[in-house]
């Protein structure tokens, strides 16, 4: 994912895409991902998880390699569409399998697994930067071959996941809450209201990630930061999120997910607000780092809570969350045209405050 995103300008140039054309390619990837999430949610029964893990990773790798040789808008859009489908299928299979492994182990591991994703994003972006002077076609082909080979090599290990007997997590053994009598048809162990609350909080959190990816550098640039410093804003955000996720499992085990998520969200909201209000380069960098650190454990905790409803619930929360990731940057851009960029960037801070206020209800009894 990071290699594809970091070399996007080269992809755009190779296919002679306008800004509008690139937006359509990205839309094709987003549509494919939504379809993949739905398909993955329907297919991700425990017995099928090994196949979905391997085929999803191989499909993602193959699509990346194909994108590298696309030279027309139509072929590029088709490649991005398949890339999105594979990404969605793999996303659901990974999270569903991770929830089952976490229940099997009886301790929190979800935050550490999501930290691996953050570290992979940093590593992929670094690889793309180091190979900036080489053809993206070769980079995509080599990366795709490496990922596909690793997935095939790990297939025997993935198959052992299908041997896990179903377990009942502690969070599902609690007495039912009379207020939660209406269950989702997709998630018999998860009330419908709770499911949509988890999705809404995921969207709020991922909107902040989209804002950091697309607007953090622009914000720093508006404060007269150099190009290098401006570009470091998202890297600092990502590094802070990875650090928070590495420590997240231990913190959740000691203090519980509701408290850790709530305190982290308050820290994220306060840090970003202060960074915007002070309007200096050091304060802005600290504000984006605070947002990444404060929200680092939110998505892993939400996925854990959704996991009690099965793969369908994981897919629903993922789809809703990615809606925030995709729509957030455009919404902030629209607000910035009506007011000013610092005012528009208060939206992620306000949503982080909402996460703090609602996290207890959403994440009660999230013990694996």
């Amino acid at each position: 994912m990071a290699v594809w995103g970091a070399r996007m300008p080269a992809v755009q140039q190779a296919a002679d895409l306008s800004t509008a054309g690139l937006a359509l390619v990205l839309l094709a990837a987003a549509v494919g991902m939504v379809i993949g999430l739905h398909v993955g949610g329907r297919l991700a029964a425990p017995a099928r998880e090994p196949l979905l893990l391997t085929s999803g990773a191989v499909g993602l790798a193959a699509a990346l390699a194909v994108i590298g040789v696309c030279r027309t808008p139509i072929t590029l859009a088709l490649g991005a569409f398949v890339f999105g489908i594979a990404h969605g299928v793999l996303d659901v299979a990974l999270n569903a399998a991770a929830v089952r492994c976490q229940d099997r182990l009886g301790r929190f591991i979800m935050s550490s697994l999501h930290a691996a994703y953050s570290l992979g994003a940093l590593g992929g972006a670094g690889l793309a930067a180091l190979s900036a002077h080489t053809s993206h076609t070769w980079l995509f082909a080599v990366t795709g071959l490496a990922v596909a080979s690793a997935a095939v090599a790990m297939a025997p290990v993935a198959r052992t996941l299908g041997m896990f007997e179903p377990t009942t997590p502690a969070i599902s053994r609690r007495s039912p809450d009379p207020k939660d009598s209406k269950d989702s048809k997709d998630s018999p162990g998860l009330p419908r209201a709770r499911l949509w609350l988890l999705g809404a909080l995921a969207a709020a959190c991922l909107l902040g990630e989209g804002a950091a990816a697309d607007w953090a550098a622009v914000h720093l640039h508006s404060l007269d930061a150099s190009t290098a410093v401006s570009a470091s804003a998202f890297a600092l955000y990502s590094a802070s999120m990875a650090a928070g996720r590495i420590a997240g499992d231990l913190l959740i085990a000691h203090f519980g997910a509701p408290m850790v998520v709530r305190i982290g969200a308050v820290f994220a909201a306060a840090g970003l607000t202060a960074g915007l209000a002070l309007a200096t380069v050091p304060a802005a960098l600290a504000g984006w780092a605070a947002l990444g650190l404060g929200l680092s454990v939110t998505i892993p905790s939400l996925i854990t809570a959704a996991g009690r409803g099965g793969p369908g619930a994981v897919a629903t929360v993922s789809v809703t969350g990615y809606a925030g990731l995709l729509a957030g940057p455009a919404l902030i851009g629209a607000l910035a045209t009506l007011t000013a960029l610092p005012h528009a960037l208060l939206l992620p801070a306000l949503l982080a405050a909402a996460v703090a206020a609602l996290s207890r209800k959403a994440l009660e009894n999230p013990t694996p």
Side-chain angles (χ1 to χ4, degrees), residues 109-134:
I109 59 170
M110 186 66 75
S111 185
S112 297
L113 295 176
H114 280 249
Y117 180 87
S118 299
L119 292 173
L122 286 173
L127 177 63
L130 290 173
S131 61
H133 298 294
T134 64

Side-chain angles (χ1 to χ4, degrees), residues 35-45 52 88-90 92-93 311-312 315:
I35 293 173
L37 287 168
H38 280 295
V39 171
R42 291 182 177 276
L43 296 180
L52 292 179
V89 169
L90 183 59
V92 173

Side-chain angles (χ1 to χ4, degrees), residues 78-152:
L78 289 173
F81 179 71
V82 175
F83 186 83
I85 290 176
H87 184 195
V89 169
L90 183 59
D91 187 278
V92 173
L94 281 169
N95 280 302
V99 169
R100 291 205 307 123
C101 287
Q102 181 169 257
D103 291 339
R104 182 82 170 186
L105 289 172
R107 60 183 176 86
F108 288 96
I109 59 170
M110 186 66 75
S111 185
S112 297
L113 295 176
H114 280 249
Y117 180 87
S118 299
L119 292 173
L122 286 173
L127 177 63
L130 290 173
S131 61
H133 298 294
T134 64
S135 168
H136 74 282
T137 298
W138 285 105
L139 175 63
F140 286 11
V142 171
T143 302
L145 179 61
V147 171
S149 299
V152 171

Side-chain angles (χ1 to χ4, degrees), residues 177-336:
D177 189 334
K179 295 181 293 184
D180 295 336
S181 58
K182 188 176 182 181
D183 286 349
S184 165
K185 64 180 180 179
D186 295 324
S187 310
L190 193 67
R192 179 172 297 173
R194 180 76 59 79
L195 176 65
W196 289 111
L197 178 58
L198 290 169
L201 295 183
C205 181
L206 289 177
L207 185 147
E209 183 167 336
D214 289 2
W215 289 105
V218 178
H219 175 224
L220 267 294
H221 185 71
S222 71
L223 298 175
D224 296 325
S226 67
T227 302
V229 172
S230 297
S232 70
F234 182 64
L236 188 58
Y237 167 90
S238 300
S240 298
M241 178 163 280
R245 286 176 169 175
I246 289 172
D249 290 325
L250 183 61
L251 292 173
I252 290 173
H254 280 81
F255 302 107
M259 179 178 291
V260 175
V261 169
R262 184 166 64 251
I263 293 175
V266 169
F267 179 74
L272 182 58
T273 300
L276 295 170
L278 292 174
T280 64
V281 171
L285 289 172
W288 289 111
L291 184 70
L293 182 63
L295 296 181
S296 58
V297 299
T298 303
I299 292 297
S301 299
L302 294 174
I303 293 296
T304 294
R308 61 180 288 205
V314 172
T316 298
V317 171
S318 297
V319 169
T320 311
Y322 279 110
L325 180 66
L326 297 171
L331 179 58
I332 288 173
L335 291 174

